[in-house]
Amino acid sequence: MKKTIIIYGSTTGTCEHIANTIGTKLGAEVINVADLTDQDIAAHDNLLLGTSTWGAGELQDDWYDGIALLKAADLTGKTVALFGCGDAESYSDTFCGAMGELYSAINGRCTLVGAVSTDGYTFDDSEAVVDGQFVGLALDDINEDDKTEERIDAWLQAIIPAL
């Protein structure tokens, strides 16, 4: 596996916990997007980007500066995978929508891996669904925490060959 970093934005700790779980499974560095620098992006071949979703599908607050860094960075030759946390019960119409914002910032500028089928998820709508699939790993650790570990493992198995 090439040099990999997991970058997350988390307000309540859920996305941070998931990022650390992924980091442990991959043996990769994990950092908060609030601490992200241009050098971090440049020094890694693989970027795994995670965010929680707030309000009507918005990014976690720390990601707004992170998005600016990503948009300014040269992502040519980098492999990127996305993961997001949401609440499919209370926010069924914007489930994991913030992942869609990350996708919009990087799409076409890197090799994007890790799309996940919407099968097995219960939600009404999401900006993170493109061509019938989530643009990354969507997790509802609030209502479906019993599925989180299995979903992470399946996603990692799918993306590891590209990393």
Side-chain angles (χ1 to χ4, degrees):
M1 185 171 69
K2 295 180 182 173
K3 196 162 182 189
T4 301
I5 189 168
I6 294 104
I7 305 161
Y8 70 89
S10 187
T11 300
T12 64
T14 301
C15 196
E16 178 180 12
H17 173 72
I18 289 166
N20 284 318
T21 298
I22 293 168
T24 298
K25 289 177 182 281
L26 290 178
E29 180 182 1
V30 178
I31 67 166
N32 188 319
V33 68
D35 301 322
L36 183 65
T37 66
D38 295 333
Q39 293 80 14
D40 292 320
I41 296 169
H44 294 85
D45 301 299
N46 303 317
L47 309 173
L48 278 63
L49 312 176
T51 184
S52 50
T53 298
W54 291 93
E58 285 102 34
L59 280 169
Q60 190 272 342
D61 288 343
D62 296 328
W63 263 110
Y64 289 101
D65 289 338
I67 286 280
L69 282 174
L70 285 174
K71 285 182 176 179
D74 180 7
L75 300 179
T76 305
K78 299 203 182 286
T79 300
V80 179
L82 306 175
F83 63 97
C85 305
D87 180 343
E89 212 169 275
S90 298
Y91 299 96
S92 182
D93 59 337
T94 60
F95 179 58
C96 288
M99 227 181 2
E101 288 197 49
L102 291 178
Y103 174 81
S104 293
I106 62 163
N107 188 34
R109 301 179 48 231
C110 60
T111 299
L112 191 60
V113 298
V116 172
S117 171
T118 58
D119 293 346
Y121 289 87
T122 303
F123 66 102
D124 292 323
D125 195 19
S126 176
E127 293 295 319
V129 174
V130 174
D131 296 330
Q133 292 189 308
F134 286 109
V135 295
L137 175 62
L139 297 169
D140 182 349
D141 204 51
I142 296 166
N143 303 298
E144 297 181 338
D145 60 323
D146 58 318
K147 297 179 181 179
T148 297
E149 192 82 18
E150 179 183 332
R151 285 176 171 165
I152 290 171
D153 289 344
W155 182 69
L156 288 175
Q157 185 176 4
I159 69 169
I160 283 174
L163 300 180

